[in-house]
Amino acid sequence: MAQIPFILLSFIFISTLSISNLALSKTLKRDVKALNEIKASLGWRVVYAWVGDDPCGDGDLPPWSGVTCSTMGDYRVVTELEVYAVSIVGPFPTAVTSLLDLTRLDLHNNKLTGPIPPQIGRLKHLRILNLRWNKLQDAIPPEIGDLKSLTHLHLSFNNFKGEIPRELANLPDLRYLYLHENRLTGRIPPELGTLQNLRHLDVGNNHLVGTIRELIRIEGCFPALRNLYLNNNYFTGGIPTQLANLSSLEILYLSHNKMAGVIPSGVAHIPKLTYLYLDHNQFSGRIPDHFYKHPFLKEMYIEGNAFRPGVKPVGFHKMLEVSDSDFLV
């Protein structure tokens, strides 16, 4: 009979011990209280899946659906809460902000209303905050800027209004910022350009104003930015030659604004520029030949401008859609 390697036996023992510890540990009363308050506020759609009083499981009862727990010392704490696409109706459950060990909060695709409470800033360990596809409103709380571990912020498809808080520039690990399809006004804080890890910035379909020159005025800004969506706003001015300094840029979406002027040839030297949307603005002149020779450029949309006759697009016009896979981590 073949012997089981010692390393494998050790792994099985440690894994079994970890599971046993999770089962034997008590859930922190703070988290039990908070989740039961949330359970009472969310209604029947989740109550049927949340059996018992302990969200981390109690005896023969499993953990509540969408709740992930971890052992910290002698206690179990809730580290992830994912309750999405169950038509939750009502205000944002403030009790969530008592779950101080959360790393992921996902309540997307529900019918939550009202503001995000300022207490959201208490969740210091939060890495992913996904509230897209709700009916949340009022201003985006500046306290989100206190979530120093945040890497993904999804607030799109809501009714947020007011300005984008400059405090979001205090999130050193932020990689993905989705603010599209809201009612945001004012200018994009140029301080966002200091985010060294920001890869994706989408503020499309709002009521924003300003110029690209203002947005990229900080030297060395947006060093990791790949995708910049400014479409369907009220941006004016031209495309500055300094935009070519965003050397990681792959998608530049400027459609349906009030921008004007000629297209600088330097932008064609962005190494991996793949999608360029210029349509429905007031651009004029010619498109420099370098764009048509770009090795990566697949699509360039130009209709609805004042370009000279004979200027041609690149690729075929189709909607650039974002699927749920783009939000997976």
Side-chain angles (χ1 to χ4, degrees):
M1 180 177 176
Q3 291 185 340
I4 300 176
F6 175 75
I7 293 177
L8 181 58
L9 282 172
S10 300
F11 174 77
I12 294 172
F13 174 75
I14 292 171
S15 300
T16 304
L17 187 62
S18 299
I19 296 171
S20 300
N21 286 342
L22 185 60
L24 294 174
S25 300
K26 293 181 178 180
T27 305
L28 199 64
K29 289 182 178 179
R30 175 203 70 198
D31 289 4
V32 173
K33 180 176 183 291
L35 260 299
N36 276 281
E37 286 182 17
I38 296 168
K39 178 180 178 180
S41 70
L42 295 188
W44 66 269
R45 287 186 180 273
V46 294
V47 169
Y48 78 91
W50 286 7
V51 181
D53 295 324
D54 191 334
C56 297
D58 186 9
D60 295 330
L61 296 176
W64 291 359
S65 176
V67 176
T68 301
C69 301
S70 300
T71 300
M72 291 189 181
D74 296 328
Y75 293 94
R76 294 179 298 186
V77 296
V78 177
T79 53
E80 297 184 9
L81 179 60
E82 300 175 86
V83 184
Y84 52 84
V86 290
S87 296
I88 298 169
V89 178
F92 183 96
T94 304
V96 165
T97 63
S98 295
L99 301 171
L100 301 184
D101 294 294
L102 276 184
T103 60
R104 178 193 292 260
L105 176 59
D106 189 345
L107 302 177
H108 84 268
N109 200 7
N110 285 295
K111 297 178 181 178
L112 295 173
T113 57
I116 300 175
Q119 297 95 315
I120 194 76
R122 302 173 62 196
L123 304 180
K124 306 297 185 185
H125 300 290
L126 204 60
R127 292 198 294 268
I128 298 169
L129 177 59
N130 189 352
L131 301 176
R132 75 183 193 274
W133 286 109
N134 277 285
K135 297 183 178 181
L136 295 165
Q137 55 202 57
D138 294 344
I140 297 172
E143 287 81 5
I144 289 181
D146 295 332
L147 308 178
K148 304 299 184 185
S149 299
L150 207 62
T151 60
H152 295 65
L153 179 57
H154 302 277
L155 300 180
S156 51
F157 296 98
N158 279 284
N159 294 314
F160 291 116
K161 60 183 180 180
E163 298 189 353
I164 299 171
R166 64 183 66 252
E167 286 82 1
L168 297 184
N170 298 332
L171 304 173
D173 295 327
L174 191 64
R175 296 182 181 181
Y176 299 92
L177 178 55
Y178 294 88
L179 301 177
H180 54 289
E181 296 283 353
N182 281 288
R183 300 177 182 178
L184 299 170
T185 55
R187 288 169 162 76
I188 304 174
E191 290 85 355
L192 294 181
T194 64
L195 294 171
Q196 298 295 303
N197 296 298
L198 188 64
R199 299 177 183 177
H200 186 107
L201 173 60
D202 191 344
V203 296
N205 286 279
N206 279 285
H207 305 292
L208 299 168
V209 298
T211 67
I212 292 180
R213 186 179 300 277
E214 293 170 342
L215 177 61
I216 63 171
R217 65 179 175 81
I218 297 176
E219 187 175 355
C221 64
F222 297 110
L225 192 65
R226 298 177 183 174
N227 308 324
L228 178 59
Y229 290 69
L230 304 178
N231 56 290
N232 296 82
N233 282 286
Y234 298 97
F235 290 103
T236 55
I239 298 178
T241 56
Q242 295 89 336
L243 187 66
N245 294 331
L246 275 59
S247 58
S248 298
L249 208 59
E250 297 176 12
I251 298 175
L252 179 60
Y253 201 167
L254 304 179
S255 306
H256 292 275
N257 278 287
K258 297 180 180 299
M259 301 182 66
V262 298
I263 309 301
S265 61
V267 175
H269 296 293
I270 298 176
K272 294 185 179 180
L273 186 64
T274 308
Y275 300 97
L276 177 61
Y277 301 91
L278 305 172
D279 54 291
H280 299 94
N281 280 280
Q282 299 165 21
F283 293 119
S284 58
R286 298 176 55 197
I287 301 287
D289 292 339
H290 295 294
F291 285 95
Y292 298 99
K293 299 175 182 179
H294 195 292
F296 287 94
L297 191 62
K298 293 181 179 179
E299 295 173 3
M300 179 175 66
Y301 301 158
I302 62 172
E303 63 268 29
N305 284 287
F307 290 118
R308 290 183 183 179
V311 172
K312 296 180 180 180
V314 174
F316 298 97
H317 200 316
K318 63 179 183 295
M319 289 297 293
L320 187 66
E321 297 181 352
V322 179
S323 67
D324 265 7
S325 63
D326 293 294
F327 297 100
L328 298 178
V329 181

